[in-house]
Amino acid sequence: MKVKTLNLSKSFIVDNKKIDVIKNINFESDENGITIILGKSGCGKTTFLRLLSGLEKSDSGDVIIENNAKISIVFQEPRLMPWLNVFDNITFGMDKKIKKDKNDDIYKLIDMIGLNGFYKAYPSQLSLGMMQRVSIARALANDGDIILMDEPFASLDYFTRETLQNEIINIYKLNKKSIIFVTHSIDEALILGSKIIIFEKGLIKKEYDLSKIEYRRNILSDELINIKKDILNSIKN
């Protein structure tokens, strides 16, 4: 499934001054791949993702969701209900009949994200990394055809981040979901992306096609080091 934008623009009024955050962007996600939105803080990445999800309304332009695909979103923070256990957080808001029909699938999903045995655990009993896994599982359980992820690992330590990056790759391989993933980490973009789009000051500056590079990737390979150098040069200039 694809997401496209046509001449998408968004501005905010701050201290009676208009600030253009997204400027006439034409975008197309990688179909059934992992599209990375990469850029410095303040370049418009999160606003763009919120426009795709419908959480923000554009000033002009269009967001086109192929075949009316269902969108799920994973935020920077887990946003779990503290009074609900893992299973109930994942199925929160789900119709009772659907929840009953998918009962076995939910348990398999919890196992898949590495939380076997934590079905009845509450958020206060989980690490931050474990809570973020629950958020990812919730997005999958709601059958999103397209999953938007807004810097979901930004606050995690290196080792937890690496583990969850591998989980995202596993989820992609098993479910073939279309994922749009926002990050400011070049290494993370190189590890995950089938397509990398560089944002700068609300504009798309450059795109990279990594679809031919197989997972699991060695970011110290000559090919990825050269791409990283080019990305760094693009961001600096």
Side-chain angles (χ1 to χ4, degrees), residues 9 18 44 46 53 64 75 78 81 91 107 110-111 121 132 139 141 148 172 178 196 203 232:
S9 295
K18 182 182 177 184
T46 293
S53 70
I64 301 167
F75 296 96
M81 311 299 172
T91 57
Y107 283 115
I110 294 170
D111 290 345
Q132 198 59 282
L148 308 181
Y172 163 70
S178 181
I196 299 175
L203 298 167
L232 283 167

Side-chain angles (χ1 to χ4, degrees), residues 16 49 87 147 197 199 205 210 232-233:
N16 296 317
L49 209 70
F87 184 92
I147 300 176
I197 296 176
F199 263 47
K205 187 171 186 180
L210 279 68
L232 283 167
N233 185 59

Side-chain angles (χ1 to χ4, degrees), residues 52-69:
L52 297 185
S53 70
L55 293 173
E56 292 279 359
K57 187 176 180 181
S58 65
D59 296 340
S60 61
D62 297 300
V63 176
I64 301 167
I65 311 296
E66 187 179 64
N67 297 325
N68 292 316

Side-chain angles (χ1 to χ4, degrees), residues 28-221:
E28 185 173 311
S29 66
D30 192 4
E31 186 173 17
N32 296 325
I34 303 176
T35 302
I36 301 293
I37 308 296
L38 175 67
K40 297 177 182 178
S41 296
C43 70
K45 304 186 302 297
T46 293
T47 298
F48 183 70
L49 209 70
R50 290 175 64 85
L51 290 168
L52 297 185
S53 70
L55 293 173
E56 292 279 359
K57 187 176 180 181
S58 65
D59 296 340
S60 61
D62 297 300
V63 176
I64 301 167
I65 311 296
E66 187 179 64
N67 297 325
N68 292 316
K70 185 176 179 181
I71 288 181
S72 297
I73 186 165
V74 179
F75 296 96
Q76 291 183 27
E77 65 285 340
R79 298 195 182 185
L80 303 183
M81 311 299 172
W83 60 88
L84 297 179
N85 62 31
V86 165
F87 184 92
D88 290 336
N89 260 294
I90 290 172
T91 57
F92 180 77
M94 195 178 287
D95 181 88
K96 287 184 179 179
K97 185 180 185 305
I98 294 174
K99 184 175 177 178
K100 183 178 179 181
D101 291 342
K102 295 181 68 172
N103 192 71
D104 291 342
D105 291 336
I106 300 300
Y107 283 115
K108 289 177 183 176
L109 183 57
I110 294 170
D111 290 345
M112 185 183 77
I113 60 166
L115 289 178
N116 183 18
F118 286 88
Y119 316 118
K120 295 184 178 181
Y122 288 88
S124 61
Q125 299 170 309
L126 305 175
S127 69
L128 184 56
M130 294 167 80
M131 287 192 284
Q132 198 59 282
R133 291 181 192 216
V134 176
S135 295
I136 294 167
R138 181 169 56 194
L140 291 169
N142 282 282
D143 289 330
D145 303 299
I146 299 166
I147 300 176
L148 308 181
M149 308 187 80
D150 185 12
E151 299 196 62
F153 312 146
S155 61
L156 303 179
D157 63 84
Y158 171 83
F159 298 102
T160 304
R161 189 169 185 152
E162 183 180 42
T163 298
L164 289 183
Q165 286 166 352
N166 289 330
E167 291 292 344
I168 291 298
I169 292 168
N170 287 335
I171 287 167
Y172 163 70
K173 286 181 176 179
L174 289 169
N175 296 275
K176 294 301 179 186
K177 302 285 187 181
S178 181
I179 298 172
I180 301 175
F181 190 106
V182 164
T183 185
H184 61 262
S185 166
I186 297 174
D187 286 350
E188 187 162 69
L190 294 172
I191 288 166
L192 296 176
S194 56
K195 182 178 186 177
I196 299 175
I197 296 176
I198 307 294
F199 263 47
E200 184 176 286
K201 296 180 181 178
L203 298 167
I204 291 178
K205 187 171 186 180
K206 198 166 184 178
E207 297 186 17
Y208 298 84
D209 181 0
L210 279 68
S211 59
K212 299 294 190 294
I213 306 176
E214 293 185 1
Y215 298 112
R216 319 263 173 130
R217 295 170 178 168
N218 177 10
I219 60 171
L220 296 179
S221 69

Side-chain angles (χ1 to χ4, degrees), residues 10-21 47:
K10 176 67 179 178
S11 61
F12 294 104
I13 303 297
V14 180
D15 291 333
N16 296 317
K17 183 179 180 181
K18 182 182 177 184
I19 298 176
D20 295 318
V21 181
T47 298

